[in-house]
Amino acid sequence: MAKEANATVSREEELKKVSIMSMVRTLLPIAGLIVVFVIFNVLTKGRMVTKFDLVMSQMYVTLIAATGVFFIMTMGGLDFSQGSILGMASIVVCMLSKKSIPLAVVGGIATGAAIGAINGFFYVNRKIKSFIVTICTMFLFRGVIKYLTSNSPVAGDIKLITLGMNNNFKMACTAVVLILGFIVFRFTRFGIDLKAIGAGEKAAKFAGIRTDRMKFLIYVLAGAITGFAAFINSIKVGSVTSSGGNQLETQILIALVLGGMPISGGAKANFLNVIIGSMLYTVLTAGLNMMGMTTQAMQLVQGVVFLIFVWVFADRQSLQVIK
């Protein structure tokens, strides 16, 4: 009886620890966002508030693209090709914008989906680790981008640039993507299956989930979402250079981890990770810029913050195998 009582007490203590840690994981990114915003607002003498619209306008592309990567990371995968997808899709958007804006949007989404399909094919059918496949396609399409923009930047039509002057349009497009992403992830079978694969692929197969098909479709979907983000990027910038989309994959990864996204994915993934993380990353970057920090100093600060959040949110037991 004494042993059973002690076992019961120890289980209750473990449950309390898990509950407390879960609460910390949820509240830390939100608290971090508030603290970082207040600190930088003080250090920049109120410029974070006065230029709030400008700060938020830098977040739209990251928010949209991070939505697709969130789905990939939820099932335990990685994608380092997002920057190259954005660059390629932006080139297509700018080229097709001279014909028709709707055609440019469709072209950007189709380009992103096609590259996502390439990633999904090698990941699922050839059984190559996701980070290896996406690193390869990152370099492959980065080379194509540099080749297509070697003589001069690829410029978009004047109608494309005009759309970029309307912040409400960009905000509305971003809001639609986020709302649809939240509904699909939270209230459909898609989200349940996604978390099941991240929690344990073998168990998901036994539960009747077609895991290979699901994984392939996720990469196609993520590519398509980033293809739409390329449209928002194109109306914001107006043209594409050889550096188009450069380091976007790093920005997305940092943003999601800052938002509390577990690297291993699974049931602990929360769609709020996308929004809070993107806002935190944008505020952090904008604040460091306003303070006049050099690129090296900014990378140092971002790296330290990133390591702290990885230390807090990484599930070491689930990180033994990288998918």
Side-chain angles (χ1 to χ4, degrees):
M1 293 292 290
K3 289 182 179 179
E4 291 179 0
N6 291 332
T8 303
V9 172
S10 62
R11 285 172 192 167
E12 290 179 354
E13 290 177 352
E14 287 180 7
L15 288 173
K16 285 181 181 179
K17 288 180 181 179
V18 171
S19 177
I20 292 171
M21 192 60 189
S22 177
M23 187 179 296
V24 170
R25 288 173 184 269
T26 303
L27 296 178
L28 182 60
I30 300 173
L33 174 61
I34 296 171
V35 170
V36 168
F37 184 84
V38 171
I39 289 175
F40 279 122
N41 190 55
V42 172
L43 294 176
T44 58
K45 298 179 180 178
R47 279 189 292 169
M48 288 296 292
V49 173
T50 57
K51 295 186 177 181
F52 184 75
D53 291 340
L54 179 62
V55 173
M56 290 298 101
S57 68
Q58 300 172 15
M59 186 176 62
Y60 300 136
V61 173
T62 304
L63 257 176
I64 295 173
T67 301
V69 179
F70 169 78
F71 293 145
I72 291 175
M73 290 182 67
T74 298
M75 70 174 184
L78 293 171
D79 190 348
F80 292 104
S81 65
Q82 288 293 309
S84 295
I85 293 176
L86 185 82
M88 286 295 300
S90 295
I91 290 174
V92 173
V93 168
C94 288
M95 287 180 172
L96 293 180
S97 66
K98 297 171 184 177
K99 302 275 186 183
S100 165
I101 296 299
L103 180 62
V105 176
V106 173
I109 293 173
T111 302
I115 299 175
I118 294 173
N119 289 334
F121 172 79
F122 284 100
Y123 173 47
V124 176
N125 294 82
R126 308 313 301 170
K127 306 301 180 185
I128 304 173
K129 299 294 185 183
S130 61
F131 73 96
I132 295 176
V133 171
T134 54
I135 285 175
C136 290
T137 52
M138 174 187 73
F139 283 110
L140 170 63
F141 290 104
R142 179 55 55 192
V144 175
I145 293 168
K146 289 184 178 180
Y147 173 77
L148 294 174
T149 58
S150 57
N151 293 327
S152 61
V154 179
D157 189 74
I158 187 66
K159 295 178 182 177
L160 199 67
I161 301 171
T162 304
L163 277 175
M165 298 178 183
N166 189 343
N167 280 330
N168 291 331
F169 175 76
K170 291 183 285 188
M171 187 184 298
C173 288
T174 305
V176 168
V177 172
L178 291 175
I179 291 170
L180 289 175
F182 173 75
I183 292 172
V184 168
F185 181 76
R186 188 71 180 271
F187 301 107
T188 68
R189 177 66 185 271
F190 171 85
I192 297 171
D193 291 352
L194 203 59
K195 288 183 279 188
I197 294 172
E201 189 171 336
K202 288 184 178 180
K205 284 183 179 179
F206 284 121
I209 299 172
R210 300 174 66 179
T211 56
D212 285 350
R213 180 186 176 187
M214 187 75 171
K215 290 190 290 184
F216 177 80
L217 291 176
I218 291 302
Y219 272 94
V220 175
L221 176 62
I225 293 173
T226 303
F228 182 72
F231 168 68
I232 303 299
N233 181 66
S234 298
I235 66 176
K236 176 185 174 183
V237 180
S239 63
V240 187
T241 64
S242 60
S243 61
N246 196 28
Q247 294 188 348
L248 176 67
E249 55 281 331
T250 306
Q251 295 171 14
I252 293 172
L253 181 60
I254 293 175
L256 287 174
V257 173
L258 290 179
M261 179 72 189
I263 301 293
S264 54
K268 294 179 182 178
N270 189 326
F271 196 81
L272 194 62
N273 302 148
V274 178
I275 301 171
I276 298 298
S278 297
M279 292 180 68
L280 181 51
Y281 177 81
T282 302
V283 169
L284 179 62
T285 303
L288 294 173
N289 271 321
M290 287 180 184
M291 291 178 63
M293 281 196 175
T294 62
T295 303
Q296 293 83 353
M298 286 176 59
Q299 290 176 342
L300 176 63
V301 174
Q302 289 173 346
V304 170
V305 175
F306 181 64
L307 281 174
I308 292 171
F309 274 74
V310 168
W311 174 68
V312 172
F313 294 110
D315 186 348
R316 289 145 189 85
Q317 293 180 347
S318 301
L319 287 176
Q320 294 175 1
V321 179
I322 299 176
K323 296 180 182 178

